[in-house]
Amino acid sequence: MMEESTPTDFVRQMVADDIDSGKWDGRVQTRFPPEPNGYLHIGHAKSICLNFGIAEEFGGKYNLRFDDTNPAKEEQEYVDAIKEDIRWLGFDWEDREFYASDYFEQLYDWAVLLINDGKAFVCDLNGDEMREHRGTVTEAGTESPHRSRSVEENLDLFARMKAGEFPDGSKTLRAKVDMASPNMNLRDPVMYRILTATHHRTGDTWCIHPMYDFTHGESDSIERVTHSICTMEFEDHRPLYDWYLDALGIYHPQQIEFARLNLTYTMMSKRKLLELVEEKQVSGWDDPRMPTICGLRRRGYTPESIRAFCHEIGVTKFNSTTDMAVLENALRADLNKRAERRLAVLNPLKVVIENYPEGESEELDAINNPEDASAGSRTIPFSRELYIERDDFMEDAPRKFFRLSVGKEVRLRYAYFITCTEVIKDDDGNVIELRCTYDPATRGGDAPDGRKVKGTLHWVSAAHAVEAEVRLYDHLFENPDPNDVQEGQTYRDNLNANSLKTLTGCQLEPSLSQATPGDRFQFERRGYFCVDTDSTPQTPVFNRTTPLRDAWAKIQKQKQKGK
RNA sequence: UGCCUGGUAGUGUAACGGUAGCACGACUGACUCUGAAUCAGUUAGUCCAAGUUCAAAUCUUGGCCGGGCAACCA
C-alpha cells in the first residue's frame, strides 16, 4: 500500500483521503470508459494512466468498459484497436472487460422503475420541438405537453417503444427533472431514444438505446466503481449523474473531473483526427505523425516513455497546453538508455581513401550502447570507399565547423582519422566525391601520438552498406495551436507541408539488414529511428522517431536569424 | 447575457496560513571517439485591488481574464 509516497495531485489526494476515512471501506475501483468510435490518442493515455495508475498505486482494481450506447457510430474495429493500444501501454484489466451494452437489460428495468416513480415520461416531441422547449442559457425552458402522462400510459408507451412500434426519432423517454434549471443538462434530459441500427454486440435486439447520462453512472454503480474519473466537460453533467443514482437509490460512486491534455503542434479532437484520416491528409490512424497511440507506436515511441510523460505532466483542473518538447524529452530519455547505436548515412557523399588498399576490407569494433554495457558490441566493415553525410563536409567552412573540409583531419567513428585532400565536382559544380587519406596508426579511433581532432563523423562502407528508405517526420501543424487560423480558414490551412520527407538511397551499416518492424535504434549523430511496418528485407524502411538535440543546427539557425 | 469551472517563471506543475520549489525550454560553461548523453550554472513567476492576520499563492470581498454547457453524441 501507500507508505510514504505522498499524493501528487488532487485526484490521488482525494483517493488517499477516502482510504483514510474508510469511505469506500478502503476499496479503490476505477474504470476507463472509451467509446469505440475512434482510436485512442495521447490524451486518452493520460486518462488511462490516471485511472489505471491510481488503482495500481492504491492496491485497487481497474476495469475497461466500452461506452457503447450509440450503435450508429461504434464499431468492433475500434474495440479491437483500443484493447491493443491499452495492452501495449502496459496495462492488464484481467477479466474485467465490460460493455455498457451488457447492462441494457438492467438499464431498461431501471428506466421502468423511474417511470413507476413518476420520474420519467414518454415524450412525443421531435428534435426541433424539443430544442424550442429547452429554452436558452438565460431563459428557462417550457415543459413538454406530454410531461403529465399517467404512469400507466408511460409504461405502455415505453414498452411499445422497445417493441419497435414507433419509427426512429418519434418518441423519447425523458427524466422529469427541472425545465427551469440553469444547468441545461437538467432540463428533462432524454434517457432513451428510438434508434434502429445494428449494434456491434447486441445486434438488432434493441431499437431503443440509452443516452450517455443514463448509462454512465449506472454502469459505474453496477461495477461498484469508487472514483469515476473523467474530463472537465462532464462537470456540468455531475448533477445529473448524481440525480439518476439518487432517484434509483443505488450504489453511488464519486465522479471527479480533471483537465484533458492538450499538446502543441497537434490536436486531440477525435472528430478532426477522423477528418484527417478520411481526407487522406495522413496515411491512416497509425500515420506516425498522428497523436494516436498506434501512430506514436509506429513512430517508434516506447510505452514507457508515454507513461513517464503522463506522470510528469501532472493532473489539475485548469486547461493548459503542454509543450510537445516535454513528450519528446520523455522519449529521448528512455531511448537514450535502451536504443542500440548504429551508423547510418542519410544523405550520402562518397569518400575514397586513396592510401587504403583497393579490394580490401576489415572489421572494426563498435559499442552498441555506451549507456548500457550489457548491450555489448558489434563489428562494422571498413574499406576504401565510404559514404559520409553530405552536410559533414563544407568547402568554405567557418571556424566553428568541426567537420570535414579540404586539408582538415577528422575521426571516422570507431575507425580512423582521415584528412581530406581533394574535392571532386560535376559539371554543375556540385560536390560528388571526396578524396581523402587515412592514418593507419589511428585504427580504432585514437592517435598514438595523442593528437586530437575536433570532429567525429559517422560513415558506412559503400560496398557493404544496406540501402534503405528513411522517413523524416516533423510536426503535423505549422502553428503550436492548429486551430489558431485566420477568419475563414480551418486547421487544414495549418498543416505542415513538410511534416513528411522521404529519403531514398540512404546507406546503413550492414547489421541493420537484420532489423524487423518495430526495432528501435539510435543512428549516431542523427536521431532515433525505428523499422516501419512497410519495411521489407528488399527495401528496408525506417521512421525517424525524433532527431537528436543538435547544437550545431542551433548555431546555424541563430546565425541565419542574425543576418 | 445565465450556470459550472479555473488563473503560480516562456510552458507544465508543487507549496494544505509560515523560506515560492521541481521539470521542460532558453542561455552560459565543463567534459566528450555521437556538436548526443552527462555535469555545473544563469534566466524568469503567485491576474488586479481592497480586507482579515504577527504572517496570504493559500482565507474574505469586488473586479479582470480564460475554459465548458442550449445532440434523440460521448
Side-chain angles (χ1 to χ4, degrees):
Chain A
M1 285 294 287
M2 300 292 289
E3 306 273 276
E4 45 199 337
S5 55
T6 46
T8 51
D9 58 70
F10 79 97
V11 184
R12 274 174 248 258
Q13 180 98 243
M14 216 178 273
V15 173
D17 289 348
D18 287 348
I19 287 177
D20 288 346
S21 71
K23 182 173 176 185
W24 309 99
D25 303 322
R27 229 163 30 89
V28 173
Q29 174 68 60
T30 62
R31 102 271 92 114
F32 175 65
E35 181 189 13
N37 69 341
Y39 282 67
L40 259 28
H41 54 58
I42 182 78
H44 294 112
K46 175 182 179 182
S47 179
I48 293 165
C49 290
L50 217 214
N51 275 293
F52 290 2
I54 281 178
E56 278 179 347
E57 291 159 32
F58 290 91
K61 300 278 190 201
Y62 51 88
N63 301 346
L64 170 60
R65 180 174 74 234
F66 289 95
D67 227 325
D68 55 350
T69 57
N70 186 354
K73 289 188 180 176
E74 296 147 7
E75 293 169 29
Q76 186 63 38
E77 173 203 349
Y78 295 124
V79 171
D80 298 336
I82 288 168
K83 283 160 62 175
E84 183 188 356
D85 288 346
I86 299 176
R87 248 185 241 117
W88 178 75
L89 279 175
F91 292 101
D92 180 5
W93 56 92
E94 299 175 333
D95 59 346
R96 294 178 304 282
E97 177 175 322
F98 303 124
Y99 294 80
S101 54
D102 291 345
Y103 310 139
F104 280 176
E105 205 65 56
Q106 172 68 266
L107 256 11
Y108 180 83
D109 291 344
W110 274 333
V112 169
L113 195 148
L114 290 187
I115 293 174
N116 273 312
D117 283 353
K119 290 174 178 165
F121 68 100
V122 172
C123 182
D124 299 351
L125 258 31
N126 64 33
D128 289 338
E129 293 165 333
M130 208 178 286
R131 197 168 304 119
E132 284 165 28
H133 281 74
R134 190 153 34 229
T136 68
V137 286
T138 50
E139 299 165 78
T142 51
E143 295 187 347
S144 163
H146 317 108
R147 201 180 201 259
S148 52
R149 285 214 251 241
S150 70
V151 169
E152 291 66 31
E153 190 182 1
N154 281 322
L155 251 17
D156 173 61
L157 255 15
F158 188 48
R160 289 162 61 192
M161 278 169 64
K162 183 193 180 196
E165 289 189 26
F166 308 113
D168 280 13
S170 61
K171 282 179 170 41
T172 57
L173 181 72
R174 293 225 259 164
K176 260 188 236 183
V177 189
D178 178 10
M179 287 308 291
S181 172
N183 183 343
M184 302 295 290
N185 296 121
L186 262 24
R187 321 251 258 226
D188 289 6
V190 172
M191 294 168 60
Y192 270 92
R193 75 281 216 190
I194 304 175
L195 199 176
T196 312
T198 301
H199 188 280
H200 69 105
R201 284 181 68 86
T202 61
D204 299 313
T205 309
W206 295 87
C207 65
I208 55 171
H209 292 92
M211 301 289 290
Y212 165 85
D213 286 302
F214 186 61
T215 305
H216 204 90
E218 287 54 45
S219 302
D220 286 342
S221 181
I222 291 168
E223 294 173 19
R224 311 289 288 180
V225 166
T226 54
H227 305 268
S228 180
I229 303 162
C230 62
T231 43
M232 297 294 293
E233 67 267 29
F234 294 105
E235 201 157 26
D236 283 340
H237 292 246
R238 178 154 33 91
L240 184 54
Y241 180 102
D242 292 337
W243 189 91
Y244 281 131
L245 260 10
D246 289 342
L248 258 14
I250 56 178
Y251 173 89
H252 193 148
Q254 169 75 50
Q255 177 177 306
I256 304 165
E257 308 86 12
F258 71 97
R260 67 183 334 146
L261 171 70
N262 295 297
L263 264 186
T264 54
Y265 298 105
T266 189
M267 55 192 192
M268 304 300 170
S269 161
K270 257 198 215 178
R271 197 198 88 228
K272 289 176 184 169
L273 293 177
L274 211 209
E275 284 171 4
L276 290 178
V277 172
E278 288 182 336
E279 294 168 14
K280 308 266 186 227
Q281 308 276 13
V282 295
S283 65
W285 285 101
D286 68 342
D287 186 298
R289 293 166 293 181
M290 292 282 273
T292 49
I293 303 298
C294 54
L296 295 170
R297 178 167 59 233
R298 188 169 172 190
R299 175 80 167 252
Y301 273 76
T302 60
E304 291 81 2
S305 67
I306 292 174
R307 291 179 69 159
F309 167 77
C310 290
H311 187 257
E312 279 164 25
I313 56 176
V315 183
T316 65
K317 284 175 84 88
F318 39 88
N319 55 301
S320 58
T321 302
T322 299
D323 198 322
M324 181 66 95
V326 179
L327 212 208
E328 285 170 356
N329 179 264
L331 208 217
R332 289 199 187 98
D334 189 33
L335 254 18
N336 178 48
K337 296 284 181 228
R338 23 199 313 213
E340 290 201 0
R341 316 284 127 126
R342 292 293 183 270
L343 302 186
V345 175
L346 271 29
N347 297 298
L349 174 60
K350 193 171 180 184
V351 169
V352 176
I353 310 294
E354 294 191 297
N355 57 340
Y356 195 90
E358 274 181 71
E360 284 192 22
S361 69
E362 62 187 302
E363 297 283 318
L364 298 164
D365 290 322
I367 294 164
N368 282 330
N369 186 351
E371 303 283 333
D372 177 12
S374 72
S377 64
R378 67 191 186 285
T379 59
I380 40 181
F382 185 87
S383 64
R384 189 167 193 267
E385 295 193 2
L386 314 169
Y387 291 114
I388 65 165
E389 209 70 64
R390 273 210 106 82
D391 55 0
D392 278 341
F393 174 81
M394 257 182 117
E395 273 201 284
D396 304 305
R399 231 190 340 276
K400 297 278 267 297
F401 188 76
F402 302 150
R403 309 175 186 183
L404 202 55
S405 123
V406 179
K408 273 182 70 175
E409 184 172 51
V410 297
R411 171 171 36 236
L412 293 182
R413 176 140 241 228
Y414 297 126
Y416 296 97
F417 285 13
I418 60 166
T419 304
C420 181
T421 54
E422 189 189 351
V423 184
I424 297 180
K425 299 179 184 178
D426 63 13
D427 295 340
D428 298 325
N430 300 310
V431 177
I432 54 168
E433 185 183 313
L434 302 177
R435 311 295 286 196
C436 298
T437 59
Y438 84 118
D439 177 357
T442 58
R443 188 174 198 274
D446 282 306
D449 62 7
R451 77 179 188 278
K452 301 280 183 196
V453 286
K454 203 69 175 133
T456 299
L457 312 187
H458 59 282
W459 55 275
V460 294
S461 167
H464 304 86
V466 177
E467 196 167 305
E469 174 180 322
V470 173
R471 299 172 183 171
L472 306 180
Y473 298 101
D474 197 358
H475 300 142
L476 227 199
F477 293 93
E478 301 267 16
N479 207 303
D481 176 4
N483 294 306
D484 180 15
V485 291
Q486 297 183 333
E487 275 284 318
Q489 294 198 316
T490 72
Y491 65 90
R492 275 164 272 244
D493 297 292
N494 239 329
L495 282 162
N496 177 7
N498 300 313
S499 60
L500 168 60
K501 266 186 235 161
T502 302
L503 266 29
T504 54
C506 305
Q507 304 291 330
L508 321 180
E509 68 164 84
S511 68
L512 254 7
S513 66
Q514 308 297 319
T516 56
D519 286 356
R520 292 179 273 252
F521 302 95
Q522 183 198 99
F523 290 174
E524 294 212 21
R525 305 208 305 134
R526 297 264 66 151
Y528 295 98
F529 295 76
C530 75
V531 183
D532 189 72
T533 45
D534 287 345
S535 195
T536 64
Q538 291 72 38
T539 51
V541 179
F542 283 79
N543 295 317
R544 183 176 66 190
T545 308
T546 185
L548 249 26
R549 283 203 185 79
D550 189 345
W552 172 243
K554 211 178 266 182
I555 291 168
Q556 285 179 308
K557 215 180 245 177
Q558 279 175 351
K559 233 166 70 181
Q560 278 191 346
K561 263 188 198 166
K563 275 180 185 171

